Amino acid sequence: MSTFNMATPLCRQIFSHSKVIGRFCQCQRGIRTNATFSRVQRSQKYYLYGTAAATSLYFGWKWLESNARVEAARPPRRMMEDVSLRGLKLNHRERRFIKFASVEYQGQLYMTPQDFIESVTDSEPRPRLKRRTLWDKDLDRFHQETPSLAKGSPDMFRNIFDKGIISYTEYLFLLSILTKPQTGFRIAFNMFDTDGNERVDKEEFLVLEKIFSTARRDRLNRALEGVVKPPDTGLYPTGEEEESEPLEDELQKSHVVNTTLLVHFFGRKGKQELKFEEFKMFMENLQTEVLEIEFNEFSKGLPAITELDFARILLRYTYLQSDQYELYLERLLDRIPDGQGITFNEFKSFCQFLNTLDDFAIAMRMYTLADQPISQEEFHRAVKICTGTELSPHIVDTVFKIFDDDGDGQLSYKEFIAIMRDRLHRGFKTRQLREGWEGFKSCIKEEMTRDDPSVPAL
C-alpha cells in the first residue's frame, strides 16, 4: 500500500511530463506542417504564375503568327501607294510629295518642315512604318510653337522640325522660292498682292492656292476620263473603284486648315498682313537654310569645303552617267591637287547666281552669236550683269577646271548651263525619253526643228 502510494505521484509526474512532451511534438509537427503547407502554397502560386505566363506567351505567339500571315497577304501601305500611282500621269513633284509626306490630317497628306527639307536635300525619305495621324490638339500645339514673322531665321524649318504641316500647294510654292533670284522676289510678291496695296492678307495668299488646286484637279480628271487607267492588280474588285479619287483627296482635299506657313505669315487668328520686306526676308532665309544644310553635310563643322566636295554638290542632282560623273571629278583632281577650299559665302553666292541661269543664258547668246566658248573674264562680266554681284575669282576658276574640256581656259557655256539647270531644279526637271523608238523619234524631231525658230525647242 505504501509502495503504491509512493508510485502514484511518480506516475502522475511521468504522465504529466509525457503529455507535455506530446504537446511539444504536436507543436513541432504543426510547425512543420504549416511550413510545408506554406511551401506548397508558394509552389502552387509559382506554378499558377508560370502557367499563366506560358499560356500568354503561347497565345501571343499564335496571334503574332496569324497577324503576320494577314500582313503578308495584304500589300504594305507603300506598295499599295505605288500600285495606285502606277497608272496615273503624275509629275515628279506630285510623286515626291506623296513619297516624303509623313503625316495626315482628316484624310489629307501633309509634309512637316523636316519632310520638306529632306525632299530637297535627300534622295529618299527617312525610314518610317506608316504616316502619323494628327488630331486637332496636335495642330493647336503646332500653332503655339510656330514663330512669328519677326522671329524668322535661316534655321526656322530645322527648329520647327516635325511640329508643323505644309500642304501640297505650299510645297510647290516653297520649291519655286528656292529657284527665285533676288529680282524675282518682287514678282512673286505681286502675284499674291491682288489689290496692289503693297500688303498681302490671308485671303489673297489663298487665291493662288485655289488656282493651283483647280488646275491640278482639272488635269487629274482629264487623265482619269480614259486617257490612263490604273492597271487591274487584283487588289480591288473591278479596278474601277480605286481609280484616283483617293489620291486626289490626299493631295488636294478642300478644307480649311491653318498650316504652319499661314500661321507664320498671318498669325494664329489670320488677321495680320504680310509686307514685301517680310516676304523677301522669308525667301532669303529659306534659301540660306537649304544651302547651309547642303554645305554642312560636306564641311563637317569646318568653315570651308574642298573643291572636290563643291563639284559633288553641283553634280549631285544631274542626270550624268556614272562614267561622266567620275570624269568631271577626276579632271578637277588633276587640275587642283591641293585646293584652298571654298567658304559658305562663296558657295552661297554661286548658288544665288544659278537662280539667274536663264538670264545668264540669254546674255551668253547675245554676246557670243556663234555659240563660242567664253573666258573667265567674260564669265565674270556676264554674272555681274545678271546678278549685280561678283563671284570670287577662286570659285570661277574652280568652275572652269570642272567644265573646261581641254584645259584651254575656255568654257563651253551650253554644256555648263544644261548641267546647272539640273542642279537648279534639284532633279525635278522633266527629262525627255532618249531610249528605244520614242527616243529615236525625239532625236529626229529635235534635229529637224533645231534651226526653225517657229518650233519650240524640246
Side-chain angles (χ1 to χ4, degrees):
M1 184 70 180
S2 60
T3 303
F4 176 77
N5 291 335
M6 291 175 61
T8 299
L10 180 61
C11 290
R12 288 176 179 173
Q13 191 174 9
I14 292 172
F15 181 72
S16 175
H17 283 296
S18 65
K19 290 197 331 183
V20 171
I21 293 171
R23 287 177 181 175
F24 176 74
C25 292
Q26 286 180 351
C27 289
Q28 281 188 327
R29 285 195 298 272
I31 292 172
R32 286 197 298 270
T33 301
N34 289 337
T36 302
F37 181 72
S38 177
R39 286 196 297 271
V40 169
Q41 278 188 324
R42 287 198 298 271
S43 299
Q44 289 177 342
K45 185 185 298 184
Y46 293 150
Y47 175 77
L48 290 175
Y49 286 162
T51 303
T55 304
S56 300
L57 288 173
Y58 174 78
F59 285 107
W61 176 75
K62 284 294 184 183
W63 180 85
L64 289 173
E65 187 181 38
S66 62
N67 189 60
R69 285 196 296 268
V70 172
E71 290 298 325
R74 181 190 306 148
R77 178 179 179 88
R78 176 64 59 84
M79 184 184 298
M80 292 182 68
E81 287 176 356
D82 292 342
V83 169
S84 65
L85 299 179
R86 193 177 299 156
L88 297 176
K89 286 188 174 180
L90 300 176
N91 62 41
H92 192 49
R93 289 180 176 86
E94 292 160 346
R95 291 182 181 274
R96 198 163 181 83
F97 178 84
I98 295 172
K99 188 176 185 178
F100 280 83
S102 66
V103 297
E104 58 180 84
Y105 173 71
Q106 295 184 1
Q108 182 170 350
L109 299 186
Y110 289 93
M111 278 184 170
T112 65
Q114 179 192 15
D115 294 336
F116 175 76
I117 291 296
E118 289 178 353
S119 73
V120 297
T121 57
D122 298 334
S123 58
E124 295 292 333
R126 67 190 183 281
R128 64 171 185 267
L129 294 177
K130 62 178 182 179
R131 289 191 177 92
R132 179 164 53 113
T133 300
L134 300 178
W135 308 96
D136 291 340
K137 62 179 181 180
D138 297 315
L139 294 191
D140 291 339
R141 188 177 75 255
F142 293 170
H143 296 164
Q144 293 175 1
E145 297 181 8
T146 301
S148 63
L149 270 172
K151 296 182 179 179
S153 66
D155 55 2
M156 186 183 78
F157 278 56
R158 284 172 287 183
N159 289 338
I160 297 177
F161 200 59
D162 62 347
K163 297 179 177 60
I165 57 173
I166 296 170
S167 69
Y168 173 66
T169 307
E170 291 171 344
Y171 169 67
L172 298 180
F173 166 66
L174 294 175
L175 284 180
S176 68
I177 287 178
L178 296 179
T179 60
K180 280 281 185 293
Q182 295 282 337
T183 55
F185 289 176
R186 171 65 71 176
I187 298 174
F189 183 82
N190 290 339
M191 287 291 293
F192 295 104
D193 184 15
T194 56
D195 56 11
N197 66 347
E198 297 294 323
R199 296 171 180 264
V200 172
D201 58 30
K202 184 178 178 180
E203 296 303 320
E204 290 175 325
F205 186 83
L206 292 175
V207 166
L208 208 59
E209 285 196 353
K210 185 177 181 181
I211 295 174
F212 270 120
S213 178
T214 303
R216 159 69 184 146
R217 183 165 55 250
D218 292 343
R219 191 178 68 81
L220 185 57
N221 288 338
R222 287 196 299 271
L224 294 175
E225 287 173 356
V227 177
V228 175
K229 291 290 184 182
D232 186 2
T233 61
L235 293 175
Y236 311 104
T238 64
E240 297 289 336
E241 287 81 358
E242 182 66 8
E243 286 197 344
S244 295
E245 288 304 320
L247 178 62
E248 179 186 354
D249 288 346
E250 285 181 321
L251 284 181
Q252 294 292 342
K253 181 180 288 185
S254 178
H255 58 71
V256 179
V257 177
N258 274 334
T259 63
T260 299
L261 208 57
L262 291 177
V263 174
H264 179 63
F265 283 161
F266 307 107
R268 298 178 191 173
K269 297 182 179 180
K271 302 299 183 181
Q272 299 177 12
E273 291 184 327
L274 181 64
K275 302 176 183 178
F276 171 70
E277 291 302 323
E278 296 169 331
F279 181 71
K280 179 181 177 181
M281 183 57 64
F282 170 80
M283 297 181 76
E284 290 178 349
N285 285 339
L286 180 61
Q287 289 183 355
T288 301
E289 182 164 11
V290 172
L291 294 177
E292 279 182 353
I293 292 172
E294 288 186 300
F295 186 86
N296 293 338
E297 178 185 351
F298 289 89
S299 69
K300 309 300 182 183
L302 297 176
I305 59 176
T306 65
E307 287 77 5
L308 187 63
D309 288 337
F310 173 69
R312 289 194 179 103
I313 296 177
L314 292 187
L315 301 176
R316 72 188 305 182
Y317 298 107
T318 60
Y319 294 88
L320 294 172
Q321 299 294 330
S322 58
D323 55 343
Q324 293 176 304
Y325 177 83
E326 294 298 332
L327 177 63
Y328 282 112
L329 298 185
E330 290 174 3
R331 181 190 297 163
L332 179 63
L333 281 175
D334 292 338
R335 296 173 178 176
I336 308 182
D338 299 317
Q340 67 184 53
I342 294 175
T343 66
F344 176 71
N345 287 334
E346 290 177 319
F347 172 70
K348 180 181 177 181
S349 296
F350 183 80
C351 291
Q352 288 177 338
F353 149 69
L354 291 183
N355 289 348
T356 66
L357 202 59
D358 289 337
D359 294 337
F360 177 80
I362 294 173
M364 287 293 94
R365 282 198 297 270
M366 295 178 65
Y367 183 73
T368 61
L369 298 179
D371 293 336
Q372 295 297 317
I374 59 174
S375 64
Q376 291 194 26
E377 292 75 13
E378 293 166 334
F379 188 92
H380 266 292
R381 185 166 179 268
V383 170
K384 186 173 182 180
I385 291 172
C386 296
T387 65
T389 59
E390 293 186 3
L391 298 178
S392 71
H394 175 59
I395 203 167
V396 172
D397 182 63
T398 303
V399 169
F400 269 66
K401 284 182 168 55
I402 297 173
F403 295 100
D404 181 5
D405 289 335
D406 51 14
D408 63 350
Q410 301 289 311
L411 180 69
S412 175
Y413 74 88
K414 293 185 69 174
E415 177 186 3
F416 166 76
I417 290 174
I419 295 176
M420 288 301 96
R421 276 207 175 101
D422 291 339
R423 152 68 197 181
L424 176 64
H425 294 283
R426 297 175 180 273
F428 288 114
K429 184 182 176 184
T430 303
R431 304 292 294 183
Q432 291 288 339
L433 182 62
R434 296 294 182 181
E435 297 179 357
W437 175 246
E438 293 298 325
F440 175 74
K441 290 193 298 183
S442 177
C443 289
I444 293 296
K445 183 177 179 180
E446 182 175 354
E447 291 300 322
M448 293 177 64
T449 60
R450 182 183 298 274
D451 298 325
D452 186 356
S454 63
V455 180
L458 294 177

